[in-house]
Amino acid sequence: MAVPYVGRMRFGLVGTGYWARVAHAPALARTEGTELAAVWGRNPRAAAELAAEYGATPYHDVSEFLAGIDAVSFAVPPDVQAPIATQAAREGKHLLLEKPIALTEPAADGLVEAVERAGVASVVFFTQRFQPDVRAWLAEVAARSGWAGAVSAWLGSALEESNPFNTPWRRDKGGLWDVGPHVVSLLWASLGPVVSVTADPGPADVTHLVLHHQGGATSTTTVTLSATEAAACFEVYVWGESGRLAAPLGSLDRVAVLSVALGELVANARAGQTRHPCDVRFGRDVGRVLTEAQRQVDARRAGIV
Ligand SMILES: NC(=O)c1ccc[n+]([C@@H]2O[C@H](COP(=O)([O-])OP(=O)(O)OC[C@H]3O[C@@H](n4cnc5c(N)ncnc54)[C@H](OP(=O)(O)O)[C@@H]3O)[C@@H](O)[C@H]2O)c1
């Protein structure tokens, strides 16, 4: 078991790309109780530049990077995150993970096992789950009963040429894996655990999901990264006996929200608490929904069903 943490937590940041620069590095620098001590990147120059900006040490070797830190914050593609996070957990580091936690079930299961064996704290940054106004909305949803279901869509424009999120794994995996985790996480939190999913692809990376929740509610969502900026939106509402309640998904101070997630990770590590509503186990459960959806999408595209 990892020893409960005392004092400032020395974080290493994995990744030097857009999200690392605009969200993780500034959030690590400003969150009470955290210190950005080390930066790892496959590009040594980018790692050196980002580290210099924050007075941190750049690394190219993962083991050397991990040796001097207490926790790791990830801002790399999921298939890069999973093996490094598994190694970090085995070495007793607490984890601030990005969604999705991995791209395959074995990789996700291996990460969960490493976290559980080491007894480290973990938080997956399902962004909206850390927004105070969305948390208030979820509390209101929980306080009322009789919800029949939810309707939602994330029409993203990340694949537009000039979008900073137009990166290789997003072009490859599309909206199901990039914005899908956020939507499934919110639907899960508002209507209960997802017990089954039906998925049907549309054009480009458009994916339609129908979710059945424990307790009987059903929800639908459409996710894509191929929308134009003019069409882009993120909407979720639940509906039922008492009417309709829309989630407040407007503008977002990403550094402030990530700072909430980091603060909760640090508090849990200090308390020796490894459970969190958005911990690595929840990240794995959301990933299982996406994996099954992907299986159905592939089968439909191949004309098997
Ligand atoms: N929670 C949220 O709201 C939110 C928002 C945005 C992003 N994210 C998550 O944050 C993560 C990073 O996103 P991003 O937008 O910065 O783009 P990204 O393409 O996921 O990551 C870019 C970073 O990963 C590095 N990288 C790419 N392939 C690599 C490989 N094979 N080995 C080692 N490093 C590699 C890049 O290095 P180079 O610069 O050398 O290419 C760059 O540092 C993703 O997991 C994404 O899901 C979450």
Side-chain angles (χ1 to χ4, degrees):
M1 287 289 282
V3 179
Y5 193 80
V6 183
R8 259 161 97 89
M9 187 174 279
R10 287 169 60 80
F11 271 82
L13 171 57
V14 169
T16 58
Y18 180 71
W19 192 238
R21 283 182 280 113
V22 303
H24 284 252
L28 285 163
R30 91 173 214 193
T31 304
E32 209 182 309
T34 67
E35 177 190 343
L36 175 49
V39 175
W40 178 88
R42 68 172 170 182
N43 177 339
R45 192 166 158 184
E49 279 173 12
L50 187 55
E53 216 178 301
Y54 290 90
T57 306
Y59 289 89
H60 194 53
D61 181 276
V62 173
S63 298
E64 285 173 19
F65 162 76
L66 292 174
I69 54 179
D70 310 302
V72 191
S73 192
F74 287 88
V76 284
D79 58 329
V80 179
Q81 169 176 262
I84 300 177
T86 302
Q87 180 182 348
R90 286 189 186 128
E91 294 183 23
K93 314 301 172 189
H94 305 288
L95 304 177
L96 191 294
L97 297 159
E98 271 297 351
K99 41 47 65 177
I101 63 162
L103 291 177
T104 66
E105 283 197 8
D109 291 344
L111 176 52
V112 169
E113 192 191 330
V115 167
E116 289 186 335
R117 277 198 180 187
V120 293
S122 63
V123 164
V124 184
F125 189 43
F126 291 106
T127 312
Q128 296 72 31
R129 301 285 304 276
F130 297 89
Q131 275 179 249
D133 51 355
V134 175
R135 285 179 164 182
W137 174 78
L138 283 170
E140 202 178 334
V141 171
R144 298 197 212 167
S145 56
W147 298 115
V151 176
S152 64
W154 189 323
L155 310 182
S157 57
L159 298 188
E160 283 200 334
E161 195 73 25
S162 60
N163 193 299
F165 294 119
N166 185 347
T167 64
W169 79 271
R170 290 188 178 89
R171 291 194 289 276
D172 183 33
K173 302 301 289 184
L176 178 63
W177 287 90
D178 185 31
V179 294
H182 290 303
V183 184
V184 172
S185 155
L186 260 192
L187 295 172
W188 188 303
S190 50
L191 293 178
V194 175
V195 292
S196 72
V197 58
T198 305
D200 205 347
D205 73 325
V206 171
T207 309
H208 307 285
L209 303 181
V210 179
L211 305 176
H212 283 249
H213 297 261
Q214 199 175 301
T218 53
S219 62
T220 60
T221 194
T222 298
V223 288
T224 181
L225 299 180
S226 311
T228 59
E229 229 175 294
C233 71
F234 179 21
E235 293 172 354
V236 176
Y237 67 79
V238 292
W239 66 277
E241 283 165 13
S242 61
R244 197 151 67 99
L245 209 53
L249 299 170
S251 65
L252 157 82
D253 178 344
R254 47 204 176 183
V255 175
V257 179
L258 181 50
S259 198
V260 172
L262 284 164
E264 291 179 3
L265 177 71
V266 171
N268 275 358
R270 281 188 178 140
Q273 170 63 261
T274 59
R275 295 270 162 185
H276 185 283
C278 293
D279 64 18
V280 71
R281 287 161 284 264
F282 181 66
R284 172 201 55 199
D285 294 344
V286 169
R288 284 181 177 159
V289 175
L290 304 178
T291 301
E292 172 55 20
Q294 184 69 61
R295 191 191 64 73
Q296 295 178 27
V297 163
D298 292 344
R300 287 201 159 84
R301 287 220 160 101
I304 295 166
V305 287

